[in-house]
Amino acid sequence: MAERELSEGGAARIKVATESVKCAGCGANMVFDADLQVLYCPHCGSKKELEVGQTAKEKDILEGLSADAFWKADETVVFRCDNCGAKIVLNKGETATVCPFCGTAHVEKTEELAGLKPDAVLPFAFGQDKALDYSKNWAKKRFFAPRKFKRNLDAENINGVYAPCFTFDSSTYSTYRGRIGKHYTTTVGSGKNQRTVTRTEWKNISGNYSDFFDDIVITAGDKCGQKELDNISPFDTNAGIEYKEQYLLGFMAYHYDHELSECWDSAKKKMDELIRKRILGKYNYDVVDYLNVSTTHEKVKYKYVMIPVYVGNFTFKEKLYNFFVNGTTGKTFGKYPKSPLKVGGLILLGAIAFAVIAYFLSKG
Ligand SMILES: [Zn+2]
Ligand SMILES: [Zn+2]
């Protein structure tokens, strides 16, 4: 098996050994090179064009899951990290040797099936070297980060992992009823008692509201959660193409933690919030007494998409930090260690500033 670490040039050095697609020239195993968007042989440097992907189709949520919605046992293999619990899906025949989330080698093959098969994939748009550059640039701008974090980040810490997401489309029809208020000031009393007071003019509102939502993205994994995902968004999920094994060669995929129905509930919550905001946006108000909205969803479509995320892991003073790089735009977000010296310094500065101000106030 060819270790990805041997790869040169733009190919990511991800610790996945693959034997799925053999090089026609030398028989070694090929990997997906995200910089060149080809299959690449790390052994002899041969390249092979990717198969052209079709635009991914969306599915009707009312249709049940058919047998072909699931991975077959001979397609993939699931690894589990004993240290942090992360579950990784790889093409059959590939081996994960390191956990992308905690960086340890405690990854073991399981007998588990991988579950739902992705309908679509948004392929990685660049390789690991570039992901490292984005991470370093991001780290450099973290004022409180210790020098060790800024300087010691390297390819070891960055791994390409497809994050499992569901996208939902929905046509919504809502009826609403509520009461909103607008503040105004008025003068009351007379003579010495004359003063200005603020009062509220209340108004009942009701009506219908319809909208269309396209590709509401809900993450199905906890290790790269909704907050992390929202912070490195957008991902052009509409450009997702039909899933093919070739995009996973040498990369990993995270096994989902939440089922379709659970994610659909989350999507409805997200849409409900947007609908409320958009209804209220039609009015001029200062306060909302109440707003009851009842919404029905029609023509709901979904797709299960793998989106490309470089996962960074960094251990500092025995604590683990994860950060995430959007594999199409480079946008980075996540946790990082904070230097006690820098934080302490700032608190000290604040205390000095406070003392100085207090001193002058006491004299004045
Ligand atoms: Zn070769
Ligand atoms: Zn782990």
Side-chain angles (χ1 to χ4, degrees):
M1 283 193 281
E3 284 287 329
R4 286 216 74 180
E5 282 169 278
L6 299 175
S7 69
E8 288 161 19
R13 291 177 298 268
I14 288 158
K15 291 127 211 122
V16 173
T18 163
E19 53 185 27
S20 301
V21 175
K22 302 277 182 202
C23 169
C26 74
N29 309 302
M30 302 193 94
V31 293
F32 169 48
D33 186 314
D35 284 318
L36 305 173
Q37 296 289 308
V38 293
L39 291 180
Y40 175 80
C41 173
H43 188 68
C44 72
S46 296
K47 294 175 187 111
K48 190 179 173 217
E49 294 278 307
L50 293 169
E51 281 176 61
V52 180
Q54 306 282 330
T55 312
K57 286 180 212 78
E58 294 176 321
K59 293 175 173 171
D60 197 311
I61 203 160
L62 296 177
E63 280 169 25
L65 295 168
S66 59
D68 67 357
F70 297 89
W71 292 107
K72 293 189 179 54
D74 62 353
E75 284 179 306
T76 50
V77 59
V78 179
F79 284 77
R80 189 178 179 282
C81 172
D82 278 342
N83 187 51
C84 75
K87 279 199 251 171
I88 309 295
V89 181
L90 299 179
N91 282 322
K92 192 83 176 181
E94 297 190 338
T95 308
T97 57
V98 73
C99 169
F101 293 94
C102 70
T104 69
H106 303 291
V107 275
E108 274 172 47
K109 196 172 164 178
T110 70
E111 292 305 310
E112 235 177 285
L113 291 176
L116 276 184
K117 184 176 179 169
D119 301 304
V121 59
L122 204 59
F124 278 92
F126 51 82
Q128 196 182 22
D129 291 342
K130 233 173 164 184
L132 182 60
D133 288 345
Y134 282 120
S135 307
K136 282 183 167 168
N137 278 334
W138 173 78
K140 240 185 259 166
K141 289 180 198 141
R142 303 305 108 188
F143 177 76
F144 287 115
R147 203 177 286 177
K148 239 189 184 156
F149 178 65
K150 299 184 186 197
R151 290 204 178 153
N152 293 10
L153 275 185
D154 75 78
E156 287 276 294
N157 304 102
I158 317 280
N159 290 283
V161 181
Y162 285 104
C165 288
F166 288 99
T167 69
F168 296 97
D169 294 353
S170 178
S171 298
T172 63
Y173 301 91
S174 312
T175 55
Y176 63 90
R177 187 171 291 280
R179 187 167 177 252
I180 55 175
K182 182 90 190 139
H183 297 322
Y184 65 95
T185 53
T186 181
T187 309
V188 295
S190 57
K192 256 192 163 181
N193 278 327
Q194 196 179 54
R195 62 202 191 278
T196 313
V197 291
T198 302
R199 291 206 171 131
T200 308
E201 189 187 346
W202 293 102
K203 187 174 143 192
N204 290 317
I205 55 169
S206 65
N208 302 313
Y209 176 79
S210 52
D211 210 335
F212 172 71
F213 294 88
D214 181 37
D215 272 18
I216 296 276
V217 181
I218 302 291
T219 176
D222 288 333
K223 291 267 174 191
C224 177
Q226 195 68 41
K227 184 182 155 204
E228 286 73 22
L229 193 79
D230 287 344
N231 274 287
I232 58 169
S233 284
F235 288 90
D236 187 7
T237 48
N238 271 321
I241 45 181
E242 207 180 323
Y243 177 81
K244 279 205 174 91
E245 171 198 44
Q246 58 187 5
Y247 298 110
L248 191 56
L249 288 175
F251 284 92
M252 311 185 196
Y254 186 74
H255 187 291
Y256 58 87
D257 299 305
H258 303 285
E259 300 286 341
L260 170 64
S261 60
E262 235 179 297
C263 293
W264 170 230
D265 285 341
S266 304
K268 276 191 281 193
K269 248 183 227 153
K270 205 168 174 174
M271 284 184 267
D272 280 346
E273 277 166 33
L274 289 167
I275 289 168
R276 286 183 71 87
K277 238 188 228 164
R278 290 173 189 176
I279 288 172
L280 287 169
K282 302 198 292 184
Y283 297 96
N284 181 12
Y285 66 95
D286 295 311
V287 279
V288 179
D289 179 21
Y290 73 92
L291 178 67
N292 295 330
V293 183
S294 152
T295 299
T296 56
H297 294 267
E298 278 177 29
K299 292 179 230 136
V300 180
K301 303 266 184 209
Y302 77 94
K303 53 182 196 256
Y304 179 36
V305 195
M306 290 291 185
I307 62 173
V309 177
Y310 281 99
V311 176
N313 70 75
F314 195 83
T315 302
F316 184 72
K317 294 197 165 143
E318 284 167 37
K319 206 173 166 242
L320 171 71
Y321 299 88
N322 278 138
F323 55 91
F324 304 90
V325 183
N326 181 322
T328 58
T329 65
K331 196 173 174 196
T332 307
F333 172 83
K335 295 212 167 75
Y336 57 95
K338 295 187 175 73
S339 155
L341 223 71
K342 285 186 183 174
V343 174
L346 196 79
I347 291 172
L348 193 69
L349 263 174
I352 292 170
F354 183 78
V356 169
I357 292 165
Y359 173 76
F360 281 107
L361 284 178
S362 71
K363 285 192 81 176

